[in-house]
């Protein structure tokens, strides 16, 4: 931005205003990409306005200066730029013959520049103020302002401003016109002489630069020839390298293909052996399952039935016996009941061990509910037949089955219900089970947590799941299981 702005200033001083504007626009382009550059943009806009004024495009110049003055708190953030913009706006309006409020603008600009001690800029403002006074036919004040401009130009060593001021004084102050003209001529000749020296110096620099450029062109030509030769050798070397690489890749790919075919054949053989072993294992597991199921049925239907009958007989005798006999029979009944519970536990473990191998989970649940011997209770089982429930992990199926069994037995014994309902459904990555009855219900808060609830809690914790009991006295009970899968 700074380089383009400086080029714009230099070309403006050389009166090449169009090129100067192009460089100022480049400066603005880079400032648009620069954060917190409001003041810099305002400075460039002020410079563009000055160029428009030199090109006599006063409307554009005024528009630029007014945009600069619209920046928030510019008079605080950058008083010097604010004063320049005011002075330039007043001058442009004067040149456009719009003198409304122009004098106030000049006065305000001069006041700020005095505070900022901007001598060269203050000299320029007094000069433009003198132009306004001359336009207003106030020659005396105009000469006064020009003399102030002359003194300030001397103090700030502004030769260009001195020339402009003497030239204008020679026009306005007729009595001293010859003196001003002499001063003008002397300073102008001195500056022209100095400019010629500088031009000669630059001419020597240009000549030496041209020689250096010619040498560089010759060296660049030689360099291009060497570069082409280098490129040819690099191309030849690259060709040989690519040829060798291609041969290596072809040979290596053939070796990989042979190894891949061998691995595939070996994998197929291993898969065949694995399938044979799996079939054998399935046959053994099926035999074990059938045997476990048979033992379970024998224990449940045979031994438990007999023991239950004996317990019932003893219960009947217990009502007619003496106190001592009743006590002894009660002990016997307790022992029988312990044996019964122990055999039932064994039976259930064997039954579930067999169940773990059963492929159809929903059929097992339906069988559990259908084996209800209490014909007064209607059982209902809801599930989506399109869902693959057998894909659930074995541990989930076993524990859910046991929880349903436990809940169902509790409903039969305690709830006095007329129907018992089980629902399966999946929700995203979660298996949900809802068990409900229309029994007498109970107070969940006050009710005791028996073995059944503790067992449900233990099994759900194993599955990293959760459960909820919703029950109200006289309105039945609902138990919901939520198990991640």
């Amino acid at each position: 931005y700074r380089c383009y702005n400086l080029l714009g200033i230099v070309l403006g001083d050389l009166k090449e205003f169009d090129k100067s504007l192009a460089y100022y626009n480049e400066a603005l382009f880079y400032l648009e990409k620069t954060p917190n550059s409001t003041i810099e943009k305002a400075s460039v806009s002020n410079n563009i306005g000055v160029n428009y004024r030199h090109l006599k495009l006063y409307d554009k110049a005024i528009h630029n200066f007014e945009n600069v003055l619209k920046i928030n708190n510019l008079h605080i953030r950058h008083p010097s730029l604010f004063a320049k913009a005011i002075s330039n706006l007043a001058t442009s309006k004067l040149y456009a013959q719009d003198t409304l409020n122009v004098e106030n603008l000049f006065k305000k600009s001069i006041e700020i520049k005095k505070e900022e001690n901007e001598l060269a800029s203050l000299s320029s403002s007094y000069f433009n103020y003198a132009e306004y006074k001359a336009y207003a036919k106030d020659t005396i004040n105009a000469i006064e302002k020009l003399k102030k401009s002359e003194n300030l130009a001397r103090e700030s060593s502004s030769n260009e401003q001195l020339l402009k001021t003497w030239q204008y004084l020679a026009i306005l102050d007729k009595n001293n016109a010859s003196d001003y003209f002499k001063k003008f001529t002397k300073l102008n000749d001195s500056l022209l002489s100095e400019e010629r020296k500088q031009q000669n110096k630059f001419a020597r620099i240009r000549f030496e630069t041209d020689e250096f450029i010619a040498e560089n062109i010759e060296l660049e030509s030689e360099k291009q020839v060497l570069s082409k030769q280098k490129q040819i050798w690099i191309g030849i070397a690259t060709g040989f390298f690519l040829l060798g690489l291609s041969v290596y890749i072809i040979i290596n790919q053939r070796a990989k293909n042979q190894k891949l075919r061998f691995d595939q054949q070996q994998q197929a053989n291993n898969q065949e052996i694995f399938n044979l072993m799996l079939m054998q294992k399935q046959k053994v597991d099926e035999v074990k399952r059938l045997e476990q199921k048979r033992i379970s049925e024998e224990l449940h239907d045979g031994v438990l039935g007999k023991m239950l009958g004996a317990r019932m007989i003893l219960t009947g005798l217990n009502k007619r016996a003496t106190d001592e006999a009743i006590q002894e029979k009660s002990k016997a009944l307790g022992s029988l009941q312990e044996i019964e519970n122990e055999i039932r536990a064994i039976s259930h473990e064997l039954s579930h061990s067999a169940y773990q191998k059963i492929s159809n989970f929903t059929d097992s649940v339906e069988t559990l509910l259908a084996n209800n011997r209490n014909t007064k209770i209607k059982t209902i089982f809801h599930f989506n037949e399109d869902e693959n429930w057998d894909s659930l992990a074995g541990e989930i199926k076993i524990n859910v089955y046991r929880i349903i069994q436990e809940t169902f037995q509790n409903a039969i014994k305690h709830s006095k219900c007329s129907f018992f309902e089980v629902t399966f459904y999946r929700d995203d990555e979660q298996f949900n089970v809802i068990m409900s009855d229309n029994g007498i219900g109970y107070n969940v808060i006050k009710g005791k947590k028996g073995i059944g609830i503790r067992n449900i809690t233990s099994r759900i914790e194993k599955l990293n799941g959760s459960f909820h009991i919703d029950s109200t006295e006289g309105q039945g009970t609902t138990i919901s299981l939520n198990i991640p899968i």
Side-chain angles (χ1 to χ4, degrees), residues 118-283:
E118 295 276 351
L119 299 182
S121 182
L122 187 58
S123 173
S124 177
S125 290
Y126 271 117
F127 179 85
N128 296 132
Y129 195 7
E131 287 183 309
Y132 167 73
K133 288 295 184 181
Y135 179 79
K137 308 299 182 181
D138 188 356
T139 307
I140 295 174
N141 272 323
I143 294 171
E144 180 189 346
K145 305 302 179 193
L146 285 172
K147 288 183 178 180
K148 287 184 179 180
S149 176
E150 177 188 9
N151 293 331
L152 290 167
R154 287 181 187 279
E155 288 183 46
S156 59
S157 301
S158 179
N159 293 323
E160 184 179 352
Q161 189 62 43
L162 267 175
L163 290 174
K164 286 173 62 179
T165 304
W166 285 335
Q167 190 176 19
Y168 203 22
L169 278 169
I171 295 171
L172 295 182
D173 190 358
K174 303 294 184 181
N175 296 329
N176 300 307
S178 60
D179 292 336
Y180 292 128
F181 181 73
K182 288 178 183 178
K183 291 178 182 179
F184 176 85
T185 304
K186 182 179 178 181
L187 179 58
N188 191 48
D189 291 343
S190 175
L191 291 175
L192 287 174
S193 176
E194 187 65 29
E195 186 177 347
R196 288 192 196 96
K197 291 180 182 178
Q198 295 295 328
Q199 287 176 349
N200 292 335
K201 186 185 293 184
F202 281 118
R204 286 197 301 273
I205 293 171
R206 187 180 295 111
F207 176 74
E208 292 173 358
T209 303
D210 290 341
E211 284 187 336
F212 178 74
I213 290 171
E215 291 177 1
N216 279 345
I217 291 172
E218 186 177 352
L219 289 173
E220 186 65 27
S221 177
E222 293 177 1
K223 184 178 178 182
Q224 288 178 354
V225 173
L226 292 174
S227 177
K228 287 181 180 178
Q229 293 177 350
K230 184 178 179 181
Q231 288 175 357
I232 292 171
W233 284 110
I234 290 173
I236 293 171
T238 303
F240 278 113
F241 171 77
L242 292 175
L243 179 62
L245 182 62
S246 301
V247 172
Y248 169 76
I249 290 173
I250 292 170
I251 295 172
N252 186 54
Q253 191 62 38
R254 286 182 179 177
K256 286 183 177 179
N257 289 339
Q258 290 177 352
K259 185 176 183 301
L260 180 61
R261 285 194 293 270
F262 174 77
D263 290 343
Q264 288 175 342
Q265 184 63 41
Q266 189 175 21
Q267 186 177 2
N269 294 337
N270 291 340
Q271 185 65 36
E272 186 176 355
I273 294 170
F274 175 77
N275 290 337
L276 291 172
M277 292 175 65
L278 186 62
M279 289 175 61
Q280 188 66 27
K281 185 176 183 303
Q282 287 175 344
K283 290 178 181 179

Side-chain angles (χ1 to χ4, degrees), residues 5 95 152 209 312:
N5 187 50
Y95 291 172
L152 290 167
T209 303
M312 296 300 292

